[in-house]
Amino acid sequence: MATPIIIDCDPGHDDAIAILLALAHPEQLEIRGITTVGGNQILDKITDNALKVLSFVNADIPVAKGAAAPLLGKLVTGEVAHGESGMDGPLLPPSKFKPVEQGAVEFMLELIRASEEKITLVPTAPLTNIALLLTAYPEVKDKIEKISLMGGGLAYGNVTTTAEFNIYVDPEAARIVFESGIPIVMSGLDVTDKAAIFEEEILELKQRGPVSVMVGELLDFYSIYGKKMGYVGSALHDPCAIMWLLHPELFESEQLYVTVETEGKLTRGMTVADRRKKPDHPANTEVLLGVDREAFMKLLFDALERLDREQLPVQGD
Ligand code: BDR
Ligand code: CA
């Protein structure tokens, strides 16, 4: 039976690829819904991007809009990396889908309550929606199987020296999620930077079918910022959170207690792991630290090829 999931995202180039990777595996992952949250760009833009990606592959999955801003303070966007639209690069046709009326929290609540099986949450964005859900309706924790999230990094950050973007944008929310007691699988920068795609691979994508070409174009834009920052390859951050659900055997990991620093001048938004032999708390997180990059890319290419072949007629027909 396919694992029921909800993807909470801010597309975002790599969010879009994560959604496509999940869509290509309906026998393993059943996407019950997609929720959006202000992050890489403002809420309206990234929601529109999510709908455009779904429309491009004709996947009529309900999308609910969530929080426009973090629990405290103002939204910091990722425009510098993701551009003015939040997903610059390919020119996608307007979406034929619209968001549902409900807000993300009520939408998740309803899906979780109605489900016979426990649901797995896959957040690839700031954790505001998930923290709001767990705070307002703590009883749903029993019906959440696990949270496979992209965020954090034990060794270093990307917005600051210590904080990764998704956690940096809403550290208070991230802390609520990490301390919720729900099992967490953390795809942080330790592993996602190792899941990097290189220029010749992007070129190859652009010689394939329509979905692969679209992803190639996304990556062309996305790699511009990476190169400016000194990276050779483009890290496929968000797809890691989906790939782990599909193929956990590709990853190396450690079970650790992880929480989030919310106060430090240099460390606000840092994910902090207790690596002592006798930690104060039992492990709450499976921290992914390594990945078989070649196998990851082969599986991603195959998934996109599957969508290339199976893509149904698009917009307006
Ligand atoms: C994370 O931040 C966003 O820019 C990406 O979509 C990813 O979720 C990487 O730090
Ligand atoms: Ca993201």
Side-chain angles (χ1 to χ4, degrees), residues 16-240:
I17 301 169
I19 292 170
L20 293 170
L21 180 60
L23 282 172
H25 295 88
E27 65 296 335
Q28 275 176 277
L29 300 177
E30 182 191 344
I31 312 176
R32 296 259 172 104
I34 292 183
T35 51
T36 57
V37 60
N40 284 326
Q41 254 300 354
I42 57 169
L43 185 65
D44 282 345
K45 290 186 180 180
I46 59 90
T47 304
D48 194 46
N49 294 340
L51 292 164
K52 278 182 179 162
V53 170
L54 292 175
S55 193
F56 191 76
V57 293
N58 216 10
D60 191 1
I61 300 211
V63 173
K65 281 167 85 166
L71 297 183
L72 304 178
K74 284 199 180 140
L75 176 68
V76 176
T77 70
E79 178 160 340
V80 67
H82 296 271
E84 204 238 306
S85 71
M87 216 176 72
D88 280 9
L91 284 179
L92 297 181
S95 176
K96 60 185 170 187
F97 304 128
K98 290 206 164 16
V100 299
E101 298 265 301
Q102 273 171 319
V105 172
E106 276 62 42
F107 175 72
M108 282 193 275
L109 177 70
E110 205 163 274
L111 282 180
I112 294 168
R113 279 192 180 150
S115 175
E116 284 181 11
E117 314 89 39
K118 288 188 176 188
I119 303 261
T120 294
L121 302 182
V122 190
T124 59
L127 289 158
T128 322
N129 290 338
I130 312 292
L132 288 169
L133 172 75
L134 300 180
T135 308
Y137 306 102
E139 69 277 11
V140 298
K141 288 181 192 173
D142 294 340
K143 288 198 69 187
I144 298 174
E145 178 70 29
K146 60 171 81 72
I147 299 179
S148 175
L149 63 84
M150 190 284 138
L154 298 192
Y156 54 89
N158 56 6
V159 180
T160 69
T161 48
T162 56
E164 177 280 331
F165 179 80
N166 290 340
I167 310 294
Y168 176 82
V169 172
D170 198 341
E172 282 73 23
R175 185 170 207 162
I176 291 171
V177 173
F178 274 90
E179 295 187 1
S180 66
I182 301 168
I184 290 174
V185 181
M186 173 178 143
S187 293
L189 299 174
D190 312 285
V191 69
T192 63
D193 275 350
K194 291 174 188 147
I197 186 163
F198 297 111
E199 214 163 290
E200 57 278 15
E201 292 167 326
I202 298 175
L203 267 177
E204 194 187 324
L205 279 178
K206 289 195 293 178
Q207 280 149 23
R208 294 181 167 215
V211 182
S212 300
V213 169
M214 190 264 277
V215 168
E217 288 172 2
L218 281 173
L219 290 167
D220 271 346
F221 182 89
Y222 189 52
S223 55
I224 298 172
Y225 180 70
K227 278 190 198 131
K228 269 192 209 151
M229 300 306 287
Y231 290 92
V232 181
S234 292
L236 296 180
H237 303 290
D238 296 340
C240 287

Side-chain angles (χ1 to χ4, degrees), residues 7-22:
I7 301 177
D8 184 57
C9 57
D10 61 345
H13 298 74
D14 52 338
D15 301 79
I17 301 169
I19 292 170
L20 293 170
L21 180 60

